[in-house]
Amino acid sequence: MKAAVISERGAAPVVQEFPEPASQEGAVLIDMDTAGLGGWDVLGAYRLGVQYPCVIRGEGVGRAPDGRRVYFGERSVMPFGAWAERTLVPADEVWDVPDDVDDKTAITMGIAATGALVPLERANIQRGEQVLVLGATGTLGQVALQLARYLGAGRVVAAARSVETLQRLKTRGIADEVVALGSENDVAALKDAAGDGFDVVLDLVCGQPMLNALKATRWGARIMTIGTGAGRQINLDIADLLFRTLSCVGTGQRPPADRRAIWERLLRIAHTENIQVDYADYTLDQAAEAWASQIAGPHAKITARIRG
């Protein structure tokens, strides 16, 4: 079968022939239609314990042997993955897609949207509070802005480095205000956007941006850190954290039944709230281009048509 294959640690994927998966007890063979790609797929492809060659894992939507249209997260049985004509997935990770949900929505409401909903609900947003999303221009950030409003936020502010994408979020009404990061005046810009101070910060990047954002929060603020793109180590002045709460939240290490329930709920929210994100669409043959775009930071959800 045709697949996007990684041959060694650090190598970019190459589209080539790869052995097809065989039936296996407790797993489902899936004929692929659409695959997704995220930052976790790039990191996961090079982690310790991966055996090469292997297919890009990714999320996907395809058809089970009984004809059901199904979604699965990035948990294909190694060495298989979503970026191939066929993959093999543990049965409890294979979830039915409702007829009125398109492939891209099913994928977007999986890992990325779960990563937004779980920490935002844990933050216990109160009606009318101000919410800041750091690193807001990626898929998770775009979804988080809309979920924060759904959960009761009175004002949502997007902060990131991409001025063009930030302005697009504001123009579309996804963010009430935006802050372009990356200058010497980030603290002042965040404070200016915060007014009396942010009540909740969803921090997707950590590092210096999170430290800067702390200075723009009010007493009682909850800072939920779920990513480390701007750095894993911080030099924290504990005075900035007084009367505030900093939590590091993992979102993916839950039993399959729990993750499925969250995903199904997110599908309903996406429909009722008309959740929107930017997409970058590719084909399987363009896997190397999609991979490079993900590494560069696409400010969009990458998907690829595998068939059709």
Side-chain angles (χ1 to χ4, degrees):
M1 67 177 180
K2 184 188 291 187
V5 179
I6 300 169
S7 60
E8 61 184 6
R9 193 177 310 279
V14 175
V15 177
Q16 61 187 57
E17 287 297 312
F18 194 78
E20 294 212 12
S23 296
Q24 185 179 114
E25 185 176 355
V28 180
L29 282 169
I30 298 175
D31 289 323
M32 288 300 304
D33 292 322
T34 306
L37 187 68
W40 48 86
D41 298 312
V42 175
L43 293 174
Y46 303 143
R47 72 186 187 280
L48 294 176
V50 173
Q51 295 184 353
Y52 304 100
C54 63
V55 177
I56 300 175
R57 298 193 82 183
E59 302 169 83
V61 172
R63 295 281 176 177
D66 58 7
R68 289 179 299 132
R69 184 162 156 263
V70 295
Y71 161 84
F72 61 93
E74 41 85 39
R75 287 175 166 83
S76 293
V77 175
M78 288 293 288
F80 306 107
W83 286 68
E85 293 179 316
R86 191 166 292 106
T87 191
L88 183 69
V89 182
D92 57 2
E93 300 286 352
V94 179
W95 309 335
D96 292 354
V97 180
D99 291 340
D100 61 348
V101 174
D102 63 87
D103 288 7
K104 293 198 290 188
T105 298
I107 290 170
T108 303
M109 291 302 113
I111 295 170
T114 296
L117 183 64
V118 170
L120 285 173
E121 288 199 314
R122 186 173 296 183
N124 192 26
I125 297 170
Q126 301 299 298
R127 184 68 56 184
E129 286 189 323
Q130 288 199 96
V131 176
L132 170 68
V133 179
L134 284 176
T137 53
T139 306
L140 195 160
Q142 292 179 33
V143 173
L145 291 164
Q146 297 166 83
L147 289 178
R149 201 185 304 279
Y150 164 77
L151 293 170
R155 186 166 177 266
V156 293
V157 176
R161 290 177 175 268
S162 174
V163 175
E164 179 182 353
T165 307
L166 285 170
Q167 289 302 320
R168 189 161 61 246
L169 293 175
K170 186 175 181 181
T171 298
R172 292 159 61 189
I174 292 175
D176 296 307
E177 187 56 80
V178 297
V179 179
L181 301 177
S183 75
E184 296 179 355
N185 301 315
D186 283 358
V187 172
L190 288 164
K191 286 183 174 180
D192 186 59
D196 293 334
F198 294 113
D199 300 288
V200 173
V201 177
L202 181 62
D203 167 32
L204 312 185
V205 296
C206 198
Q208 191 61 45
M210 187 270 278
L211 295 177
N212 293 341
L214 266 178
K215 297 181 182 297
T217 58
R218 66 170 73 189
W219 284 10
R222 290 85 72 201
I223 299 87
M224 318 301 290
T225 293
I226 65 171
T228 57
R232 296 183 179 184
Q233 297 183 358
I234 55 175
N235 185 12
L236 173 64
D237 184 340
I238 200 65
D240 291 333
L241 193 57
L242 288 177
F243 307 108
R244 297 159 177 83
T245 302
L246 172 62
S247 302
C248 296
V249 183
T251 62
Q253 300 306 313
R254 288 168 167 73
D258 292 353
R259 286 185 281 105
R260 179 174 185 168
I262 294 171
W263 175 75
E264 289 175 341
R265 181 180 168 213
L266 281 162
L267 292 180
R268 295 191 292 271
I269 294 172
H271 176 72
T272 59
E273 302 300 312
N274 191 29
I275 301 293
Q276 304 174 39
V277 301
D278 294 324
Y279 288 99
D281 299 321
Y282 295 85
T283 65
L284 176 58
D285 288 333
Q286 295 173 310
E289 296 171 47
W291 191 263
S293 177
Q294 182 61 56
I295 291 173
H299 308 297
K301 180 60 183 178
I302 290 177
T303 63
R305 291 297 300 171
I306 305 300
R307 299 179 190 271

